[in-house]
């Protein structure tokens, strides 16, 4: 008789008890979770699995074939470089959920953040700012879901690490008696498959694996450093008045040389645990062996260092940014 297929309730992988070296291994098929999820939850031991982004695109295509509502999740500290990417694949009705509100300063108004995304004309039914970690705006989100859903099923999609599984766990904790044990972690590719979670008789949330951003710094730092990079608390922005010829060094990971422009203001929005230092650029050689990237920053733009956060620059500036060669850096209109 053929064995019945069973999937991990933490990450969605097909469970198997035959090969320890392969995905989905569990000591006994009686278990509900795989060994990888078990170790992440109980010991904080993380094991990176590299998922191909074709799988992610296949998932988007399969969601597109349904008529179901989609929650598109964005991490406010790591806003996608290309916001239109999602719409290349998904025509469904969708709500834009701006997640991890708690890490941006309280002084920034939600309306201002929402306005930024509404101006991008991305064709969402609605836009909402939330923080599942702080249980912020989750009631309003559920209200929106009920208002716009087209069937029982609601898909939760977005890049890896934006907090999709955390959001579903929080919705379930708040509004359902059913158990929900989605595994969450600070590493990319935690969720490996679609997972349906029944919140009530007329609402099922479907978690999905996220798109891995190869340019995100989390792929290139030691797991121990991840804790420092991922802000746990509200970011206290650090402002520096810089003159041409000065530089900022951030957490021994990034160096920004200000090479041309008038007296200028640089505000760093990154984890409080990352030390920021200012030097005269001729006096220090630190991090100069990293890949240099010359950039022209326009009036009121941010310099984004993928996975770390951003630096708001007020006036026009020419800068040289030194960072690991794989990490994506770019400018965008100031978020806040
Ligand atoms: N500060 C903050 N961190 C959050 C919040 N929600 C999730 N996180 C953190 O973000 C990281 C990723 O969370 P996950 O829920 O695993 O993200 P995901 O989108 O499911 O990731 P994949 O399964 O890899 O696609 C974890 O370290 C979470 O603790 C939030 O509201 N605020
Ligand atoms: Mg997940």
């Amino acid at each position: 008789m053929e064995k019945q297929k069973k999937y991990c309730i933490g990450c969605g992988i097909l469970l198997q008890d035959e090969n320890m070296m392969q995905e989905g291994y569990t000591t006994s098929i009686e278990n509900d979770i795989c060994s990888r999820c078990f170790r992440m939850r109980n010991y904080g031991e993380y094991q990176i699995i590299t998922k191909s982004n074709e799988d992610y695109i296949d998932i988007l295509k399969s969601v597109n074939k349904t008529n179901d509502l989609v929650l598109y999740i964005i991490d406010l500290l790591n806003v996608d470089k290309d916001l239109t990417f999602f719409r290349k694949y998904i025509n469904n009705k969708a709500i834009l959920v701006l997640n991890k509100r708690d890490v941006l300063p309280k002084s920034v108004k939600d309306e201002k953040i929402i306005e930024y995304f509404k101006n991008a004309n991305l064709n969402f039914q609605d836009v909402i700012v939330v923080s599942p970690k702080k249980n912020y705006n989750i009631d309003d989100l559920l209200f929106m879901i009920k208002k716009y859903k087209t069937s029982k099923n609601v898909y939760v999609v977005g890049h890896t690490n934006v907090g999709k599984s955390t959001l579903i766990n929080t919705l379930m904790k708040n509004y359902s008696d059913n158990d929900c044990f989605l595994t969450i972690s600070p590493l990319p590719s935690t969720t490996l498959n679609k997972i349906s979670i029944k919140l009530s008789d007329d609402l099922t949330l479907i978690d999905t694996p996220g798109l891995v951003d190869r340019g995100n710094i989390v792929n290139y730092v030691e797991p121990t450093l991840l804790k420092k990079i991922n802000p746990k608390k509200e970011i206290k922005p650090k402002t520096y008045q810089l003159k041409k010829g000065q530089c900022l060094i951030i957490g021994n990971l990034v160096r920004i040389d200000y090479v041309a422009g008038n007296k200028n203001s640089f505000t760093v929005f990154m984890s409080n645990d990352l030390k920021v230092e200012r030097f005269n650029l001729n006096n220090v050689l630190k991090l100069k062996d990293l890949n240099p990237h010359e950039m022209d920053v326009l009036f009121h733009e941010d310099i984004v260092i993928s996975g770390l956060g951003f630096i708001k620059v007020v006036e026009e500036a020419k800068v040289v940014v030194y960072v690991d060669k794989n990490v994506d850096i770019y400018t965008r209109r100031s978020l806040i």
Side-chain angles (χ1 to χ4, degrees), residues 146-165:
K146 287 182 175 162
K147 180 171 169 193
Y148 294 113
K149 76 188 181 64
T150 51
S151 69
K152 282 183 184 178
N153 293 339
V154 174
Y155 283 89
V156 181
V157 308
H159 286 213
T160 182
N161 259 340
V162 296
K164 300 177 292 297
S165 304

Side-chain angles (χ1 to χ4, degrees), residues 56 72-83 85 96-104 113 116-117 157-164 185-188 211-219 221 226 228-232 235 254 269-271 274 302-311 327-330 332-333 335-336:
Y56 175 77
Y72 187 67
I73 320 291
I74 282 184
D75 172 350
L76 278 169
L77 198 60
N78 273 301
V79 175
D80 315 1
K81 184 175 176 187
D82 176 13
L83 281 165
F85 179 82
L96 180 62
V97 181
L98 305 168
N99 199 18
K100 308 194 189 179
R101 168 64 181 104
D102 55 296
V103 302
L104 290 187
I113 302 171
Y116 184 92
F117 291 91
V157 308
H159 286 213
T160 182
N161 259 340
V162 296
K164 300 177 292 297
S185 88
L187 282 189
L211 179 82
V212 178
D213 221 333
R214 294 279 162 239
N216 192 306
I217 202 163
V218 297
N219 300 301
V221 298
L226 278 177
K228 250 185 152 176
I229 290 177
N230 277 323
K232 283 162 284 300
I235 288 175
V254 191
F269 290 83
M270 293 182 190
S271 166
L274 294 171
D302 294 335
I303 303 170
V304 181
I305 318 282
S306 181
L308 267 193
F310 57 94
I311 300 126
V327 175
D328 224 352
I329 39 180
Y330 51 94
R332 65 158 183 229
R333 190 164 57 84
L335 177 66
I336 48 186

Side-chain angles (χ1 to χ4, degrees), residues 48 57 98 122 130 135 186 301:
I48 296 193
I57 289 168
L98 305 168
L122 298 161
V130 302
N135 226 333
E301 278 194 333

Side-chain angles (χ1 to χ4, degrees), residues 95-317:
I95 299 171
L96 180 62
V97 181
L98 305 168
N99 199 18
K100 308 194 189 179
R101 168 64 181 104
D102 55 296
V103 302
L104 290 187
K106 286 199 188 75
S107 56
V108 180
K109 294 239 177 332
D110 284 3
E111 293 74 28
K112 193 169 177 210
I113 302 171
I114 289 174
E115 188 72 21
Y116 184 92
F117 291 91
K118 284 201 168 154
N119 285 339
N121 282 328
L122 298 161
N123 188 21
F124 286 97
Q125 304 297 314
D126 225 324
V127 184
I128 186 166
V129 180
V130 302
S131 166
K133 207 162 174 180
K134 299 280 174 197
N135 226 333
Y136 175 70
N137 262 356
I138 305 296
D139 286 346
D140 288 3
L141 175 63
L142 185 69
F143 182 82
M144 256 186 206
I145 294 173
K146 287 182 175 162
K147 180 171 169 193
Y148 294 113
K149 76 188 181 64
T150 51
S151 69
K152 282 183 184 178
N153 293 339
V154 174
Y155 283 89
V156 181
V157 308
H159 286 213
T160 182
N161 259 340
V162 296
K164 300 177 292 297
S165 304
T166 308
L167 178 66
I168 296 177
N169 280 343
T170 302
L171 281 162
M172 291 296 290
K173 202 162 138 224
N174 290 0
Y175 311 112
S176 176
D177 295 331
N178 295 342
D179 289 332
C180 179
F181 298 107
L182 297 173
T183 304
I184 63 169
S185 88
L187 282 189
S189 297
T190 304
T191 305
L192 298 173
N193 240 327
K194 279 192 232 172
I195 310 176
S196 294
I197 310 283
K198 191 171 166 187
L199 188 131
S200 67
D201 284 343
D202 49 20
L203 180 57
T204 295
L205 299 164
I206 304 163
D207 195 8
T208 64
L211 179 82
V212 178
D213 221 333
R214 294 279 162 239
N216 192 306
I217 202 163
V218 297
N219 300 301
Y220 310 104
V221 298
E222 293 292 317
T224 46
L225 201 62
L226 278 177
K227 291 211 176 93
K228 250 185 152 176
I229 290 177
N230 277 323
K232 283 162 284 300
K233 288 202 223 113
E234 179 187 342
I235 288 175
K236 302 271 175 262
K238 299 185 186 99
T239 299
Y240 295 83
Q241 304 300 333
L242 291 194
K243 287 185 298 210
K244 175 178 88 172
Q246 293 187 304
C247 70
L248 290 180
I249 294 186
I250 307 168
N252 258 333
L253 291 165
V254 191
R255 169 184 173 127
I256 300 171
D257 286 4
Y258 186 20
V259 292
N262 296 327
K263 193 162 183 274
N264 208 340
S265 162
F266 288 65
T267 305
V268 181
F269 290 83
M270 293 182 190
S271 166
N272 301 332
D273 297 339
L274 294 171
K275 194 163 136 197
V276 185
E277 297 167 291
R278 176 176 37 191
F279 298 103
N280 285 331
L281 57 90
N282 291 331
N283 296 350
V284 273
L285 289 171
K286 224 169 157 182
L287 303 188
K288 275 229 156 181
D289 52 337
L290 294 175
N291 210 42
H293 192 106
E294 197 178 293
M295 307 174 94
D296 286 309
V297 187
L298 303 179
F299 178 67
H300 273 285
E301 278 194 333
D302 294 335
I303 303 170
V304 181
I305 318 282
S306 181
L308 267 193
F310 57 94
I311 300 126
K312 181 184 166 103
V313 184
V314 173
E315 306 289 341
E316 280 181 22

